[in-house]
């Protein structure tokens, strides 16, 4: 081991670091911070922005500390006058081609460029000049691209191309005219974008953000004739607090519910209840298909980014998808039928708002299949970030709110539903129900550790009701692609496949609070949020979807049984082959 | 497939047949009419000339005369060029209609066609190539075969020692011996940076990896440069042979040559060379019966300057956007598809076979202490003999401009020479006696570069010149890194302001600050060297920058917004010639009276200046 250590000097300090360590990492270990901008750990390590340059004695030009590795005897100066001047000039140049409208920018306060400008005390721009002008692309229901704020760091490109292997965006044109765009310079809406929003999570500035729907919601809240129901996805509650300075992964369910009530929603329900319905339908669909060996493996369908991806890339595998709608859509459909009848509310007056960690849900919401009797199941989707903005707009002191509970009766949910928010969770929840249904027993072994954890692909063989079941949970579309290729080539022998478009699942969705590059380098955000969900599950009294009394009652009163005709009408959907490019 | 013996036989027979090409005393009854088919001559109809010669010869039933296409002779200003061997008669600016007369007078009657003979700068009529001053100080090593052989005929190449170096290497030398020879020769990369070639080969050989590649950089994107193009067009096999030798030395079995698609003739001829070599078994498996296998493929570039930068070139070959990679790691360690890769420039390769055949000692006897051999320059701008020249390292700029280049046209003054194109710098009058080698050029703030050399006379504005090169780099920047993408643009904007008379003194400092930081912080050589033309122009012509920034004047007529033409009252004799010559009636005044220029109307074309017999008009 010893011989793999390299000794070098950074700012006069002797530092030891393993071979292959970057200068940036080695400096960090020594407590020296080097500013970065295009760097995003393991995703975008390209050295484009030049902020991280350092001087290495004996080398011509500066070294790129985010990618160049340590060498024995290297003498590094991270903050020499030359380096400092160059960084200042670079930052000045970047800002000279930036729109600088921080006051009205969604990323103000959480912008890496703004933070650097503060740090470098940029008070005037020395090298003002022509700015590249771009039209804002806001055609997509999910993503808005404003390249007047783009600094060409290409973090979004790497997220799309390397992490997701979608490749909807890349650099076009050259030199000063370079910009990030799509094939044929089309709107994101007309190309192979899946709306996963990982590009937004990667963006250091406000060049990429969700298409905001807050202003669809405010008027409804003020309208006495509209019955506004809000539902919140499992992943939202373990991330929302971050927008108010609380530690990553803090479970803020109670405060969130209180805030929503304060905002004036008529009812605050839990998408987790919807997730329990999904499990009922999906587990039973699986059991039927498993018994009949019909289109196995069955693949989950709760992730709308994933759905668009498979529709575009593997239309021949569409029959493998579960026909279940995603939880919030199922829930929306039930709110406008069962709940409306029960409470005697005109469904036309109901306005369902989903708070989601996801921006692909905005696209999903407006699919024509997501309607019943001419009404959309869900009327507006806002993200975790948008909810935090509404709370701030309403001047609510979030951190000092009291906890309250979701409204009854559609607010009760199980632990199984909570873990929907992380990769492997849908699988685990479905297995809990499937094994009870198949054995007719109330089994105690309900933790499926094999499908938990950080890996992008988790394969497992589980024993259910005396049968060996091969399952796999994959998150991130690059991993999804691997599994689809296995299935396509006939190499796979899975019976059940869970796919989430975002790496890590919904907790890392495109609508979640954005963590800057530094935090992403230092903290395992996914794990903190996932642990929080598993702890909700663990503390839950009821941890199996089919044991949720609300579920039982709705099936008794209204849905008859999983897979019934009415269940199909309201809770299931269809998929279509989709062209990648609209040209 | 040919055996070594068969190739030796071709060499022997063909060499005899082609003796007249290089020997004016050749006792042959044949004549060869050589028609230049370099790009310049080709575009002024040399293929038509060749066709006409053939047609007329056929009509007249003349035997013993062959018409041959060759690569560039170098003196492009006088093209299309026709040379008749063995007597070595040099006909300049030949037109297709001149063919008849050349055949009748020269071939049939045995007399020279005087009107087509070339006049040297000193006015002397020259009969043959050797008499031209243009060639006297040149030494052709890399261009040895250009203008001598038909580049589309492998046998002609073989006749002049072609593939003999490869044979020698495969039969008698180990890879280490080859590398040692190159190292001893002192050859340095001709692509611009001047890295010792032997060392690069050694590093690539030593790099760990089963698969290795040889890449020839024929992107040649600097404005005004056509050295590599001419070598590929005139002698493609010498580059091919050297690539195979390199493959042998470093242990590679695959080579790529990256040529810009705008060089169709070069691409065409190189492809023919590859096909011919494959047919002879010189490319492919078990070359010359050895255990060595090697093949070469052409990769076309879409014409981006940055793709000449070695790592961007690799990206482009891999099918990606042509953007540089951060170095280190260098291509020798991690190149094409991550494998150790040797990248050399066309001209670098063109020297290899000569070194192998004539020995390192011979090669290193040419040139200066640290820069060995010769360098090819594409000479252009305000100089009489525009063309391709190859001189021993250490030749002075003065020799190139005045002895070879024939001086500045129109009796104007030499102002500066730009070497290294957009990455280089300008060399002012006071450094005319600088010997041309890597170190000396660097010392005076320019660089060798790949060999573009633009001469400027005193009508050129140095601020405009700096702006011209910046315009080039701004449009050729790949856009990957911030300093190059935005910084060069900002420099250009400032220069534009200066030329428009909208600058201020601070702009000079801004330029300097930007230049320095772009040089230091850019990822690749393009950005790192983009400010060079500005920095060197400011170093030697700072006064001109100040005039633009502070006084808002330009001493030439290039910056129209701020230049001004005036008639010297004392000197004006009132002849009125200027008034008559002015295309926009901007000159006012009655007969025999002193004239004045109406500045509102004047378009600064300079016509009056050249028409004044009393030198009374100036700017
Ligand atoms: C912007 C830029 C353009 C370049 N263009 C060329 C080129 O056209 N041809 C070339 O041989 N080298 C070019 N180079 C130099 C190459 O990067 C590389 O140094 C060279 O091909 C190595 O070969 P050599 O050692 O034989 O000179 C360029 C470098 C830069 C930075």
């Amino acid at each position: 081991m010893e011989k793999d250590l390299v000794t070098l000097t950074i700012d006069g300090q002797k530092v030891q670091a393993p071979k292959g360590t970057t200068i940036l990492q080695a400096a960090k270990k020594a407590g020296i911070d080097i500013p970065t901008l295009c760097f995003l750990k393991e995703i975008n390590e390209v050295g484009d922005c030049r902020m991280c340059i350092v001087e290495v004695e004996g080398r011509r030009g500066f070294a790129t500390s985010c990618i160049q590795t340590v060498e024995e005897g290297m003498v590094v100066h991270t903050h020499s006058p030359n380096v400092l001047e160059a960084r200042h000039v670079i930052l000045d140049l970047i800002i000279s081609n930036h729109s600088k409208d921080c006051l009205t920018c969604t990323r103000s306060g959480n912008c890496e460029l703004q933070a650097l400008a503060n740090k470098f005390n940029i008070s005037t721009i020395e090298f003002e000049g022509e700015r590249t002008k771009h039209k804002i692309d806001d055609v997509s229901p999910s993503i808005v691209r404003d390249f007047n704020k783009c600094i060409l760091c290409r973090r979004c490109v790497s997220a799309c191309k390397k992490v997701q292997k979608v490749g909807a965006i890349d650099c076009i044109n050259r030199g000063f005219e370079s910009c990030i765009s799509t094939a044929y310079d089309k709107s994101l809406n007309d190309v192979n974008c899946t709306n996963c929003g990982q590009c937004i999570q990667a963006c250091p500035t406000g060049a990429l953000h969700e298409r905001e729907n807050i202003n669809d919601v405010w008027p409804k809240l003020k309208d006495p004739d509209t019955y506004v129901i809000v539902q919140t996805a499992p992943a939202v509650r373990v991330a929302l607090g971050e927008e108010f300075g609380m530690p990553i992964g803090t479970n803020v369910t109670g405060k969130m519910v209180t805030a929503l009530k304060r905002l004036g929603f008529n009812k605050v329900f839990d998408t987790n209840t919807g997730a329990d319905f999904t499990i009922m339908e999906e587990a039973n669909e699986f059991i039927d298909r498993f018994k009949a060996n019909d289109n196995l493996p069955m693949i989950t369908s709760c992730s709308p980014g994933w759905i668009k991806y498979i529709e575009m890339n593997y239309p021949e595998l569409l029959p493998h998808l579960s026909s279940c709608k995603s939880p919030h859509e199922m829930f929306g459909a039930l709110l406008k039928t069962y709940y409306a009848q029960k409470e005697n509310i005109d469904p036309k007056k109901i306005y369902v708002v989903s708070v989601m960690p996801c921006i692909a849900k905005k696209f999903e919401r407006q699919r024509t299949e997501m309607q019943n009797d001419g009404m959309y199941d869900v009327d507006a989707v806002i993200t975790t970030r948008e909810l935090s903005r509404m709370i701030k707009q309403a001047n609510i002191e979030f951190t000092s709110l009291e906890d309250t509970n979701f409204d009854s009766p559609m607010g009760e949910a199980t632990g199984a539903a909570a873990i929907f928010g992380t990769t492997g969770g849908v699988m685990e929840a479905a297995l809990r129900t499937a094994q009870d249904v198949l054995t007719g027993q109330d089994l105690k072994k309900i933790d499926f550790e094999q499908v938990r954890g950080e890996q992008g692909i988790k394969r497992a063989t589980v024993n259910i009701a005396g049968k060996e079941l091969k399952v796999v949970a994959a998150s991130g579309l690059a991993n999804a692609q691997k599994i689809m290729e296995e299935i396509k080539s006939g190499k796979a022998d899975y019976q059940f496949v869970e796919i989430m478009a975002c790496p890590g699942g919904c907790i890392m969705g495109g609508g979640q609070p954005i963590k800057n590059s530094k935090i992403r380098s230092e903290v395992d955000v996914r794990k903190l949020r996932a642990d929080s969900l598993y702890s909700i599950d663990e503390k839950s009294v009821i941890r199996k979807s089919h044991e949720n009394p609300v579920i039982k009652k709705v099936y008794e009163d209204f849905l008859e049984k999983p897979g019934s005709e009415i269940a199909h009408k309201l809770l299931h959907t269809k998929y279509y082959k989709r062209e990648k490019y609209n040209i | 497939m040919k055996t070594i013996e068969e190739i030796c036989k071709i060499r022997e027979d063909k060499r005899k047949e082609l003796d007249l090409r290089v020997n004016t005393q050749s006792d042959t009854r044949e004549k060869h009419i050589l028609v230049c088919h370099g790009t310049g001559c080709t575009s002024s109809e040399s293929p038509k000339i060749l066709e006409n010669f053939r047609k007329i010869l056929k009509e007249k039933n003349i035997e013993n005369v062959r018409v041959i296409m060759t690569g560039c002779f170098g003196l492009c200003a006088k093209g299309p060029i026709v040379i008749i061997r063995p007597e070595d008669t040099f006909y300049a600016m030949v037109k297709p209609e001149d063919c008849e007369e050349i055949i009748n007078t020269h071939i049939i009657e045995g007399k020279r066609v005087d009107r087509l003979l070339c006049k040297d700068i000193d006015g002397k009529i020259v009969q043959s190539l050797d008499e031209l001053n243009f060639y006297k100080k040149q030494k052709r090593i890399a261009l040895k075969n250009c203008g001598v052989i038909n580049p589309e005929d492998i046998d002609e190449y073989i006749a002049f020692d072609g593939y003999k170096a490869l044979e020698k290497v495969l039969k008698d030398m180990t890879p280490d011996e080859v590398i040692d020879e190159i190292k001893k020769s002192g050859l340095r990369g001709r692509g611009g940076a001047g890295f010792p070639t032997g060392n690069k080969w050694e590093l690539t050989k030593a790099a760990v990896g089963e698969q290795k590649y040889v890449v020839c950089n024929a992107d040649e994107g600097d404005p005004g440069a056509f050295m590599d193009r001419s070598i590929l067009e005139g002698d493609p096999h010498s580059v091919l042979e050297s690539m195979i030798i390199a493959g042998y030395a470093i242990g590679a079995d695959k080579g790529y040559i990256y040529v810009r698609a705008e060089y169709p003739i070069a691409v065409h001829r190189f492809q023919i060379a590859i096909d011919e070599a494959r047919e002879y078994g010189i490319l492919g498996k078990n070359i010359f019966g050895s255990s060595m296998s090697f093949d070469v493929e052409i990769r076309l570039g879409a014409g981006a300057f940055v793709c000449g930068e070695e790592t961007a070139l690799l990206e482009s070959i891999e099918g990606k956007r042509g953007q540089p990679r951060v170095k280190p790691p260098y291509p020798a360690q991690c190149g094409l598809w991550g494998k150790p890769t040797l990248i050399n420039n066309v001209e670098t390769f063109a020297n290899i076979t000569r070194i192998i055949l004539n020995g390192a000692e011979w090669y290193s006897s040419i040139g200066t202490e640290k820069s060995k051999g010769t360098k090819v320059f594409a000479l252009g701008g305000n100089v009489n003999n525009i063309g391709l020249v190859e001189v021993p390292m250490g030749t002075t700029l003065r020799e190139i401009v005045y002895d070879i280049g024939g001086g500045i046209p129109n009796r104007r003054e030499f102002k500066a020479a730009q070497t290294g194109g957009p990455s280089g710098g300008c060399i002012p009058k006071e450094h005319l006696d600088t010997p041309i080698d890597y170190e000396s050029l660097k010392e005076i703030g320019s660089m060798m570069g790949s060999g573009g050399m633009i001469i400027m006379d005193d009508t050129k504005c140095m601020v405009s010149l700096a702006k011209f090169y910046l315009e080039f780099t701004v449009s050729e920047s790949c856009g990957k890194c911030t300093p190059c993408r935005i910084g060069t643009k900002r420099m250009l904007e400032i220069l534009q302001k200066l030329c428009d008379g909208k600058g201020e003194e601070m702009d000079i400092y801004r330029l300097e600050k930007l230049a320095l930081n772009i040089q230091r912080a850019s990822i690749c050589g393009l950005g790192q060297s983009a400010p060079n033309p500005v920095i060197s122009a400011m170093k030697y012509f700072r006064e001109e920058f100040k005039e633009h920034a502070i006084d808002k004047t330009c001493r030439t007529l290039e910056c129209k917004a701020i230049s001004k033409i005036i008639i010297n009252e004392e000197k004006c004799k009132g002849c009125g010639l200027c008034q008559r010559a002015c295309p926009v009636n901007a000159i006012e005044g009655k007969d025999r009276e002193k004239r004045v220029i109406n500045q509102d109307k004047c378009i600064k074309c300079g016509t009056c200046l050249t028409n004044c017999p009393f030198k009374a008009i100036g700017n």
Side-chain angles (χ1 to χ4, degrees), chain A residues 47-50 62 64 67-68 82 85-86 93-94 96 126-127 129-130 151-152 154 171 173-175 178, chain B residues 304 321 323 326-328 476-483 485-487 489-490 493 513-514 517 520-521 523:
Chain A
D48 287 356
C49 74
R50 316 305 293 155
F62 294 132
T64 314
I67 39 180
Q68 287 180 323
N82 285 350
E85 177 177 304
L93 288 171
I94 293 174
S96 76
E126 193 175 358
F127 303 112
E130 184 194 326
I151 57 168
L152 278 158
R154 294 163 215 234
C171 190
N173 301 339
R174 295 210 308 219
S178 300
Chain B
R321 184 180 159 94
Q323 291 185 156
V326 173
K327 293 188 281 193
E476 292 295 336
S477 163
C478 77
K480 182 176 158 88
C481 73
T482 315
R485 183 181 69 242
I486 311 177
K489 169 85 176 171
R490 295 292 176 251
E493 286 169 343
K513 186 167 172 186
L514 277 173
N517 286 292
R520 285 180 179 154
I523 290 183

Side-chain angles (χ1 to χ4, degrees), chain A residues 387-423:
Chain A
L387 174 58
S388 78
R389 276 175 230 150
M390 288 183 77
I391 295 170
K392 286 172 189 164
Q393 261 180 292
N395 215 13
I396 295 169
E397 278 290 338
F398 186 80
T399 48
S400 45
L401 289 177
E402 299 275 299
D403 286 356
T404 49
N405 289 324
F406 283 108
D407 288 317
S408 279
M410 306 295 267
E412 274 104 61
T414 66
I419 57 174
F420 256 62
T422 177
T423 165

